[in-house]
Amino acid sequence: MEIVTRFAPSPTGYLHIGGIRTAIFSWAYAKKNKGKFILRIEDTDMERSTPEAVETIKAGMEWLKLDHDGDIIYQTHRIERYKELIKLLIKQGDAYYCYTSKKELDQLREIQLKEGKKPKYDGRWRPEKNKELPEAPNNIKPVIRFKTPKDGEIRWKDMVKGEIVVQNEELDDLIIARSDGTPTYNFCVVVDDWDMKVTHVIRGDDHLNNTPRQINLLKALNAPLPEYAHLSMILANDGQKLSKRYGAASVMKYRDDGYLPEAVINYLARLGWSHGDEEIFSADQLSEWFDFDHVTSSAAQFDQEKLDWINNHYIKNTATEKLADLIKPKLIDNQVKVIDGQVLNSAIKLYQDREKNMNTFSEDILFFFKQVQPSEELKNKYLDENSKSLVSICIDGLEQQTWTNENVNNFLKEFVKKQEIKFPEIAMPLRTIIAGTDNTPSIGSIIFVIGVKETKKRISSFLG
Ligand code: GLU
């Protein structure tokens, strides 16, 4: 049997990391089993669905290279199919028209709450043997309800949560079509999962309540039951719900905030799933290793520091050319007019081991392309008369060098010896002037990359 999984987001907001982690697990499970991974847009809620949200879903999936099989499926294109099956359920006696008005439902609810009961539709329009139904009012457009079995229970072995049992008597007669005839969420999901031969429904545990309802519908349709895996929530570091500012942002915000897609995949896959002690793995490894035995049933906690650590790992290990392509537009955004490719490559090589983020990375190497002014504090700290005169002697000497990285670095070492000073006494003033900061990798190598002409120009502007 071919394994088929799906990711079925509703395009009603941005695609946040909880959703994306569901997509990653579904994708990995299909890949692992050489199966199919379907992307289905659940856009039947016309009021809340937007084309922009559809675009962010597509962009997020593309950015993370979570490739789906076949075309994207849109539920709004399948309305006729849902209606056809609703008719079938009515014909079979498994669904019925309900004319209860909103006002009546509100009254019912009020009474039930007063009596300390759980609010529930009382089945007044539900056809039963020997029951006489009221006359259908012609001023009310009916909804269609599913005739949920009254007895028995629904039981399934969830791949994450384990054995789950729900008594049918706890379930309402679910509305499967609204009064305007449009099918509702639970019904569309069931029809789609069946038609698309989905074998494993992998989704957030906020859908746990829907599953027994969906199983009852599948049974009424005589459809096979899929396996279910309900993933736990992702919480913030402090155990609270993720907020927009903290972790729950759109997945594309992670790209805009300087994260590499490989890092996001790795980090999110590890959030709630493990493979021995492995912390770093590629999407390919994930799709080889992924299993549900190692998905935790408890909530996972979002950890920004770990995400940064993983991002640093991928920045360290990404090819210079690829990093250059990502950094160039950021430099242009920072008003850099000319980007010398060789300088960029050298700058990347000097910095990539220390960088946690592509945005701060491009800010840190900005000074290679345009002069960055140091703060007054740095100037006061490192540029006094004494250090300025050292810098002046230093640049005169540098100008005499045959320009290789080794020569520049050796010259600085010799300079320190000759002047009987410690290395930082020249390195810090040079950093302040050339880079606008006191925190850089080897200043000799930086001077080498920037070149003697530009180094001299910057020094002159400080020494006046
Ligand atoms: N459309 C639902 C959502 O975005 C998911 C449905 C499902 O996975 O069954 O929450």
Side-chain angles (χ1 to χ4, degrees):
M1 179 185 68
E2 185 183 41
I3 301 282
V4 181
T5 67
R6 82 312 193 262
F7 177 48
S10 305
T12 49
Y14 48 78
L15 182 54
H16 56 77
I17 55 161
I20 274 291
R21 190 190 53 162
T22 302
I24 293 173
F25 284 5
S26 306
W27 173 88
Y29 194 70
K31 294 280 155 193
K32 158 83 184 251
N33 292 288
K34 313 252 170 309
K36 246 167 65 180
F37 171 62
I38 292 172
L39 175 58
R40 184 169 83 215
I41 306 285
E42 306 209 317
D43 53 355
T44 51
D45 185 343
M46 307 282 204
E47 268 166 38
R48 294 176 58 226
S49 299
T50 65
E52 294 76 32
V54 173
E55 288 313 309
T56 33
I57 291 167
K58 287 193 332 206
M61 300 293 281
E62 251 167 63
W63 180 56
L64 294 171
K65 299 201 178 66
L66 295 172
D67 47 324
H68 53 88
D69 293 285
D71 292 338
I72 300 178
I73 291 156
Y74 294 86
Q75 286 190 326
T76 41
H77 298 176
R78 290 177 41 79
I79 300 292
E80 286 316 307
R81 173 67 176 149
Y82 309 134
K83 287 188 174 168
E84 176 191 319
L85 287 172
I86 287 173
K87 263 192 217 146
L88 178 78
L89 286 184
I90 292 179
K91 205 166 136 209
Q92 280 176 194
D94 286 317
Y96 60 92
Y97 292 100
C98 167
Y99 296 84
T100 318
S101 66
K102 177 156 183 329
K103 200 171 147 207
E104 287 171 317
L105 283 173
D106 288 345
Q107 279 167 351
L108 177 65
R109 195 184 145 80
E110 212 173 294
I111 295 167
Q112 286 169 331
L113 284 175
K114 241 185 227 157
E115 290 172 355
K117 289 189 197 143
K118 203 167 123 191
K120 196 178 164 197
Y121 173 65
D122 61 0
R124 62 182 73 171
W125 288 95
R126 179 178 166 122
E128 306 280 8
K129 231 188 198 160
N130 305 326
K131 171 176 166 187
E132 207 168 311
L133 291 175
E135 180 104 8
N138 48 20
N139 59 343
I140 286 185
K141 277 198 173 155
V143 298
I144 299 172
R145 286 184 187 268
F146 175 63
K147 211 172 157 193
T148 304
K150 278 209 158 134
D151 317 309
E153 61 190 24
I154 292 296
R155 182 185 284 270
W156 81 95
K157 194 162 181 322
D158 195 89
M159 291 166 79
V160 177
K161 307 268 175 195
E163 187 82 8
I164 295 184
V165 187
V166 179
Q167 300 304 319
N168 275 331
E169 64 182 1
E170 285 173 31
L171 304 174
D172 237 336
D173 275 1
L174 190 71
I175 296 177
I176 55 175
R178 301 179 187 93
S179 53
D180 63 4
T182 56
T184 57
Y185 158 74
N186 274 299
F187 191 72
C188 302
V189 168
V190 159
V191 174
D192 285 350
D193 286 342
W194 178 30
D195 280 354
M196 289 155 210
K197 302 191 170 48
V198 171
T199 57
H200 292 75
V201 170
I202 300 163
R203 59 185 173 198
D205 65 3
D206 48 331
H207 287 289
L208 214 44
N209 283 341
N210 289 325
T211 304
R213 298 180 166 88
Q214 293 182 6
I215 290 178
N216 272 325
L217 283 167
L218 284 163
K219 283 183 169 169
L221 290 167
N222 240 330
L225 302 183
E227 301 286 337
Y228 291 94
H230 287 93
L231 306 172
S232 305
M233 289 185 60
I234 301 175
L235 299 175
N237 251 358
D238 55 4
Q240 301 293 310
K241 258 184 106 169
L242 287 178
S243 62
K244 258 193 204 170
R245 231 190 62 227
Y246 191 70
S250 150
V251 67
M252 295 315 276
K253 188 162 184 302
Y254 286 86
R255 182 198 61 184
D256 299 344
D257 284 352
Y259 292 92
L260 293 176
E262 296 83 357
V264 173
I265 290 263
N266 186 156
Y267 174 71
L268 288 181
R270 181 64 191 80
L271 200 56
W273 171 76
S274 60
H275 182 75
D277 294 333
E278 309 281 351
E279 293 294 346
I280 298 292
F281 42 82
S282 64
D284 280 348
Q285 283 169 318
L286 167 67
S287 65
E288 256 172 55
W289 297 340
F290 186 75
D291 62 350
F292 275 102
D293 295 343
H294 297 92
V295 172
T296 52
S297 59
S298 51
Q301 288 204 351
F302 190 83
D303 180 347
Q304 185 68 44
E305 263 173 45
K306 188 162 174 196
L307 174 59
D308 288 344
W309 175 76
I310 291 180
N311 206 35
N312 166 254
H313 168 87
Y314 285 96
I315 291 175
K316 275 201 276 199
N317 290 286
T318 295
T320 313
E321 296 69 35
K322 210 170 149 193
L323 293 175
D325 286 345
L326 294 171
I327 287 177
K328 266 183 217 158
K330 297 185 199 278
L331 292 175
I332 293 167
D333 282 350
N334 264 312
Q335 274 75 50
V336 172
K337 301 257 156 31
V338 187
I339 302 172
D340 178 320
Q342 235 173 336
V343 172
L344 179 56
N345 286 355
S346 306
I348 288 173
K349 284 193 183 118
L350 276 172
Y351 273 78
Q352 75 187 114
D353 279 3
R354 52 161 63 202
E355 295 296 339
K356 290 195 285 201
N357 179 292
M358 294 304 293
N359 289 354
T360 43
F361 193 167
S362 67
E363 281 160 25
D364 286 348
I365 63 171
L366 183 62
F367 75 86
F368 283 91
F369 306 95
K370 70 179 212 193
Q371 191 159 1
V372 173
Q373 291 302 328
S375 64
E376 286 305 313
E377 197 191 333
L378 275 188
K379 282 199 237 174
N380 291 337
K381 195 166 169 194
Y382 295 116
L383 301 180
D384 58 12
E385 285 317 309
N386 185 33
S387 68
K388 279 184 182 171
S389 95
L390 279 172
V391 166
S392 162
I393 306 168
C394 184
I395 185 66
D396 288 344
L398 274 170
E399 275 188 297
Q400 311 304 318
Q401 302 306 307
T402 312
W403 206 250
T404 69
N405 194 356
E406 207 188 347
N407 285 355
V408 173
N409 277 294
N410 284 342
F411 170 82
L412 287 178
K413 270 186 222 146
E414 288 303 316
F415 180 81
V416 164
K417 262 195 223 152
K418 243 194 261 164
Q419 298 292 330
E420 296 180 348
I421 54 172
K422 293 205 184 80
F423 197 74
E425 286 176 66
I426 186 67
M428 289 314 199
L430 283 174
R431 285 191 170 107
T432 304
I433 291 171
I434 294 162
T437 163
D438 59 354
N439 181 8
T440 76
S442 154
I443 185 63
S445 304
I446 285 171
I447 290 175
F448 168 70
V449 173
I450 288 198
V452 70
K453 223 173 105 197
E454 178 65 19
T455 303
K456 181 153 188 202
K457 201 173 114 197
R458 292 189 189 180
I459 288 175
S460 306
S461 78
F462 270 88
L463 300 184

